[in-house]
Amino acid sequence: MKLTLCACLLLFLCFQAFPQLVSISGPGKIKGRVVDSVSGSAISYATVTCFAINNNTVAGGMITDDGGLFVIDNLPVGRYLLKVDFLGYGRKIVEGIEVTEKRLTVNIVDILISSNTKLLKDVTVTGSKNFMETRLDKLVYNVEKDLTSQGGVATDILKKVPQVSVDVDGNVELLGSQNIRVFINGKPSTMFDNNLAEALMAIPASQIKSIEVITSPGAQYDAQGTGGIINIILKDNKSQGINGSVAVTGGTRLNNGSANIHARKGKIDLSASLSGNAQLRGTTINTSDKLKTNSARNIDSSEIVQSGPGTLEKNGYRGQLGMEWNRNKKSTLFASVSYNNFGTINHGTSNQTESVYFPAVVDKTVRYSDNTFRYKTADWNINYLKKMAKEGQELNLAVQGSNGSGRTWFNQYQDSAGSINPFAGGNGLNKLTDNETYVMADYAHPVGKDLVLNVGTKGSFSRISSYSENSVLDTTSETYQLSQTNNFNFSRDVYAAYVSLTFPMWDVYSLKLGARDEYTNNGIPTDTGNVAPSYNSFIPSIIVSRKLGKNQTIKASYYRRIQRAGYRQLNPFIDATDPASLQQGNPYLKPERTNAAELTYSRFFEQGSSILINCFYRNTRDDEQTYILNYDSITIGHTIYKNATVTTNENAGNQQLTGINISGTFAVNQKLEVRGNFQVFNKYIVSNLVPGTTFSSYNYRSNINASYKFSGTLVAEFFGNFNSARTEIQGKFPSFTSYSFAARKLLMKKKASIAVTTTNPFNQYTNQATAVTGTDFTVTSNRKIPYQSFGINFTYKFGKMEYKEKKNEEDETQNQ
């Protein structure tokens, strides 16, 4: 019913716009494509206006599609000219177009448009894109004009991306789901699989060009990730010559720096980048109250109250080398290698009071803890693109690899109040290696007019090896004795093949049909000595898009996705970092399977305003949820933990997610622009953890961004963000509010800029309250997190940029 109401709303908007399509005045048609004069790439969302020469009136017009294509029809016989406009480019006028009885369809060769930039010895590009662009299967958020993320990290940018939300710990949701797949330049990395939040915080915002959000992935994408795909596109440069940039940020909470250099000469393109960041030590105040009751008898009732400070600091760095060799117009070889290193350091003190009510006993202790985490990964990629004789026909071959290693260590001990020596303690170590290799081939073949067939195959091979151990403190000898060890060797091979067909219908429709098949071969050991079963997954997808006038589109899509549990969710080893709150994986987890549908309406206005409305529905079987159980006592190795909770992952049941996301840009005038995003969804779960029970909750996400241009070199910006509290099957998790201010001044003939930013300037802390309820226990806790920050960023662009017009077809052919 909820999805139907959303659909009715969109259909109403579409019917309101429909009359624009019914003015038919002739059988003539003008077709063509708009491309960048330097790179030769297609220009999406350029405005093409057709004028009749005889009476100088507008005869038609439209916005170019994802491939830069346009079709202006319903034209009577006569003479015409075209005007092509796109933000950041100079106007292009095409004259001498004539529609005759013998030539009713005029097909124009590519229309080249040039960036609106002066050709000087040293050049700064001033052209820019809209913040948001919609494509047939994705939404693109362009980062270049974002101010409040200056000096920040990838997480800061994601907070502003429509349909995406981020909590205080950096956990990312896409349309209400955290089961997302994250790529860099379209390629996976083991660093995202092992700790997504920390990996995103290790990528400086200054390195990012755009963010692609793919909520309804087609058959060419991996089926992993029931929530969709987020693709982070790093900055590049296709101009001739040597150029680059450096950026440095200093602040009270976050410091980072980055450098990029690019060299292009003829057919060779080389690039390199290096970045590093550090989150300074901050102190969080933690409080927790766990009340244990027994519905049958009162003698077991008890309460554990914990409070104390904890410090956290983070640091990381990233380097990348890239090469592109354009052997000729038809063949291109790409290669890249990157290295990532990031980690965290935690120190904590917790005052604990344990009270047993009958018989009455009170015990006061102090727990001290240290925890370090480090992850390193090397990613590499070799890609060969071959364009065939027919336009649009191409073969893409790629081999990719990601080799990671991680290390987590903890140490904790407890003193009785007033005691000098500890009465209990422990430490633990986890070592991890994660090696993944991908081999793929994709082929695109035009079949007839405007119809493209894509086929491909891919093999993904994962090998993970983990060694873990826990030791307990022997207070007599004051040494740590080994208590528990575990070797967890995990392999997963996925073999995939897909077919996809894209074609227009009646000039206003675009249809994309796809089918993908993935066979998953698991090597996941269980405590019975067996391995998790292998399985096959058939993944269909369909996207239908209809243009409503020159700048409106409605899109409907259906797709299927799966979510395979990762290493951390599967590893059965018990993490005893906090002896009162243990963590354990579950090797018996089944993959989530999701069927989803979306309905999207988008409209772009000539003044720069836009609106995007997205209704979504997801039905997930074997929904994975964290689940907490409380034990009077639990034995792990040679250690007994009393009154401890154990958090694990379970397939909770069936989940239905229904919601709507509304985002848009309002250009108030030439100086003031306001952007906003609002999302509401309902989560309904039929639980099999407690048979016969259901669970339903509403969640809200919203943000607003306003920028004001004081002059051509001075801009200021405000950003506010709110996530409502999140309710799950065992309790309520906190809401989150943040706000930021920024201002940027261009210097040195726009080669340099200086920006000042602040986040939550009027609140030093943000409070995160959680309430969890289980069988015979409740836990309420609060974290008082230091989130306030002030920073200053300096960016400088250097080098010579020589723009050259693309050679004509005859010249290029001679080089083959």
Side-chain angles (χ1 to χ4, degrees), residues 136-137 218-221 443-445 447 451-456 497-503 511-516 541 543:
L136 181 61
D137 60 352
Q220 72 271 31
Y221 296 101
Y443 175 68
H445 185 81
V447 182
L451 189 150
V452 179
L453 173 69
N454 292 84
V455 295
Y498 79 89
V499 58
S500 176
L501 194 62
T502 306
F503 55 94
L511 181 63
K512 187 171 186 177
L513 302 173
R516 185 181 185 92
S541 63
I543 304 175

Side-chain angles (χ1 to χ4, degrees), residues 469-501:
E469 64 178 38
N470 279 337
S471 298
V472 296
L473 178 65
D474 184 338
T475 56
T476 303
S477 62
E478 296 185 354
T479 60
Y480 287 93
Q481 304 297 319
L482 191 63
S483 172
Q484 178 195 18
T485 62
N486 179 63
N487 284 292
F488 185 69
N489 297 311
F490 158 42
S491 65
R492 176 181 285 156
D493 299 333
V494 180
Y495 304 91
Y498 79 89
V499 58
S500 176
L501 194 62

Side-chain angles (χ1 to χ4, degrees), residues 148 156 250-254 739-741 757-764 786-792:
T148 54
D156 299 310
T252 59
R253 187 167 177 263
L254 182 69
Y739 54 95
S740 303
F741 299 91
T757 62
T758 178
T759 299
N760 287 23
F762 307 116
N763 302 87
Q764 184 177 359
Y787 206 70
Q788 183 186 74
S789 68
F790 300 88
I792 184 169

